[in-house]
């Protein structure tokens, strides 16, 4: 999981971290520097790779006073901004109330949205707020590529939301793309589209989490596409990645960023019911560390949970011990391993040397972790078109 998904200008994007800085971060910080907070499981779309299996609201979701309490807890801990997601956060009736409360209390918000609820009026309201950033999700440079993944009509709605933000003078919002084998050849088109709106391009890695567990095998980039992606990113340091692709460092040259898994060390997630997880890509009871509703709130979970304490201990390279690239890729993504049935001390399923692909052949598909927080709507989008 990323530790550099910061709302900073491209010129301030971090260069590959030093070994001493990596060791400091791996031991954990007093407060997370990248905190994801999902405000709801409700969503007006049904994306086939949704990390949180969103669709239906959970009746236990935090109410407005509880949401305000969490903001207060984060402010006290000096968390200076949060990545807000879902589901679709704008489906909450109190969306603007909680957003404005966060900003007023010194907790900036970068929220991810499919754009379906950003009309001209909402765009103007968002443009009037300070300390707010927006990521519009789009997974195809055209409707033919995007809509099979995100839903019929979602491409046009996302484009309209970008038009509204540009017209309202919002500024440099983010165009956020999950890279798949179907859109990796469109990266130049995504960059041009972002430039047309004065936006920044942000691309992230597809994880086999949530509904992505079902679609990952047919959507994740091929080995040849990964190598092309690595070269493309090296040539474009202005493109934001949130450190998603640190496993590609095994090619021999690290991308800008800290290039490590920060799960439970410098990043974590609060879900819509207040549960705290080590990683935004690992919404599973195995990675649940506690709840903001427990005594001591979020700060107590962050500082004292058994899971986070264990994650901050030195890593065991496991099956990667003999690999000379371990120091570069750090064994890859914890969530990607877990949800594809690989051991956490095994290779990343997309290991660029092929070790993960080989390990996957021994995995029994019937033994994969069960998604225990599925909020999908009853009818899922067909995968046959992908």
């Amino acid at each position: 999981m990323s530790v550099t998904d910061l709302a900073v200008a491209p010129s301030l994007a971090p260069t590959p971290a030093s070994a001493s800085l990596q060791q400091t971060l791996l031991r954990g910080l007093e407060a997370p520097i990248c905190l994801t907070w999902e405000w709801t499981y409700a969503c007006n779309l049904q994306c086939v790779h949704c990390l949180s299996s969103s669709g239906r609201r959970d009746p236990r979701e935090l109410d407005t006073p509880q949401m305000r309490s969490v903001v207060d807890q984060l402010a006290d801990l000096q968390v200076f901004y949060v990545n807000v997601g879902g589901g679709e956060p704008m489906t909450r009736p109190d969306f603007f109330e909680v957003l404005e409360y966060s900003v007023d209390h010194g907790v900036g918000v970068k929220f991810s949205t499919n754009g379906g609820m950003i009309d001209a009026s909402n765009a103007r309201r968002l443009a009037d707020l300070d300390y707010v950033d927006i990521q519009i999700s789009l997974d195809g440079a055209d409707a033919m590529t995007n809509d099979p993944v995100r839903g019929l009509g979602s491409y046009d709605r996302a484009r309209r939301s970008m038009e509204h933000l540009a017209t309202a003078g919002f500024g440099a919002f983010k165009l956020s793309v999950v890279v798949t084998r179907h859109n990796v050849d469109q990266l130049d088109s995504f960059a041009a589209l972002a430039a047309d709106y004065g936006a920044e391009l942000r691309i992230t890695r597809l994880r086999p989490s949530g509904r992505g567990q079902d679609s990952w095998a047919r959507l994740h980039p091929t080995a040849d596409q990964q190598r092309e992606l690595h070269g493309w990113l090296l040539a474009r340091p202005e493109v934001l990645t949130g450190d998603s692709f640190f496993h590609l460092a095994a090619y021999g040259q690290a991308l800008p960023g800290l290039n490590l898994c920060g799960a439970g060390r410098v990043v974590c997630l609060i879900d819509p019911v207040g549960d705290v997880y080590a990683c935004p890509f690992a919404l599973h009871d195995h990675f649940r560390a506690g709840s903001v509703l427990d005594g001591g709130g979020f700060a107590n979970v962050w500082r004292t949970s058994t899971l986070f304490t264990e994650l901050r201990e030195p890593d065991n390279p496991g099956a990667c011990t003999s690999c000379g690239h371990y120091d570069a890729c750090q064994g890859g993504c914890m969530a990607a391993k877990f949800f594809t049935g690989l051991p956490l001390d095994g290779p990343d399923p997309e290991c660029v040397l092929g070790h993960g692909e080989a390990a996957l052949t021994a995995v029994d598909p019937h033994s994969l972790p069960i998604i225990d927080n599925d909020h999908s709507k009853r009818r899922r989008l067909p995968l046959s078109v992908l």
Side-chain angles (χ1 to χ4, degrees), residues 63-84:
D63 60 24
T64 304
Q66 289 172 321
M67 296 285 283
R68 287 171 172 259
S69 174
V70 173
V71 172
D72 293 339
Q73 293 177 37
L74 300 180
D76 289 343
L77 201 58
Q78 295 185 314
V79 173
F80 68 94
Y81 93 104
V82 291
N83 288 308
V84 167

Side-chain angles (χ1 to χ4, degrees), residues 21 38 42 59 90 99 138 193 290 293 302 313 316 336-337 342 354:
L21 176 57
E38 295 189 338
M90 293 189 73
L99 178 67
L138 198 64
L193 181 61
L293 302 178
W302 177 256
E313 294 296 324
N316 179 358
K337 297 182 216 183
L342 297 179

Side-chain angles (χ1 to χ4, degrees), residues 58-246:
D58 192 306
R60 302 170 298 149
E61 289 180 6
L62 302 180
D63 60 24
T64 304
Q66 289 172 321
M67 296 285 283
R68 287 171 172 259
S69 174
V70 173
V71 172
D72 293 339
Q73 293 177 37
L74 300 180
D76 289 343
L77 201 58
Q78 295 185 314
V79 173
F80 68 94
Y81 93 104
V82 291
N83 288 308
V84 167
E88 171 52 59
M90 293 189 73
T91 62
R92 283 191 67 114
D94 61 358
F95 171 79
F96 277 102
E97 179 180 349
V98 178
L99 178 67
E100 291 167 359
Y101 186 86
S102 297
V103 172
D104 290 344
H105 287 75
V107 180
V109 172
K110 174 166 64 176
F111 74 94
S112 296
T113 174
N114 57 53
M117 300 183 72
I118 298 182
D119 56 17
S121 176
N122 282 340
R124 289 192 296 270
R125 189 170 181 181
L126 290 166
D128 287 339
L129 292 172
D130 293 325
Y131 214 12
V132 171
D133 194 12
I134 301 174
Q135 294 184 164
I136 304 293
S137 297
L138 198 64
D139 289 336
D142 50 55
M144 184 179 299
T145 307
N146 177 83
D147 287 9
V149 175
R150 302 192 61 85
L152 186 65
S154 58
Y155 177 83
D156 289 338
R157 287 192 292 272
R159 289 293 301 266
R160 283 197 296 271
S161 73
M162 292 190 281
E163 294 282 359
H164 289 314
L165 289 173
T167 300
F170 179 85
F173 59 89
K174 309 293 189 296
L175 173 59
S176 184
V177 178
V178 176
V179 178
T180 71
R181 67 181 56 179
H182 301 298
N183 67 19
V184 69
D185 293 332
Q186 299 181 333
L187 292 176
D188 286 335
S189 296
F190 283 121
L193 181 61
D196 286 345
Y197 290 102
E200 295 178 274
L201 178 60
R202 177 183 183 272
I203 68 170
T204 58
R205 182 183 177 186
L206 174 71
R207 262 78 168 197
S209 311
R211 285 197 294 272
Q213 189 182 56
D214 293 334
S215 57
W216 180 82
R218 67 190 73 191
L219 285 182
H220 77 91
T222 65
D224 288 342
Q225 288 174 331
Q226 282 203 100
R227 182 171 285 279
E228 292 174 6
L229 172 62
H230 181 246
W232 191 88
L233 288 172
L234 285 175
R236 295 164 181 81
E238 73 280 3
V239 173
L240 306 174
T241 66
D243 235 7
S244 286
F245 303 100
F246 64 90

Side-chain angles (χ1 to χ4, degrees), residues 22-93:
Q22 281 192 343
Q23 290 306 310
T24 297
L25 295 173
L26 288 171
R27 289 191 291 269
L29 299 177
E30 284 298 306
I33 60 174
C34 185
L35 170 63
T36 296
W37 184 8
E38 295 189 338
W39 282 7
T40 183
Y41 284 119
C43 192
N44 50 344
L45 296 185
Q46 182 87 336
C47 301
V48 301
H49 56 23
C50 179
L51 294 168
S52 56
S53 299
S54 288
R56 294 174 291 109
R57 179 184 178 275
D58 192 306
R60 302 170 298 149
E61 289 180 6
L62 302 180
D63 60 24
T64 304
Q66 289 172 321
M67 296 285 283
R68 287 171 172 259
S69 174
V70 173
V71 172
D72 293 339
Q73 293 177 37
L74 300 180
D76 289 343
L77 201 58
Q78 295 185 314
V79 173
F80 68 94
Y81 93 104
V82 291
N83 288 308
V84 167
E88 171 52 59
M90 293 189 73
T91 62
R92 283 191 67 114

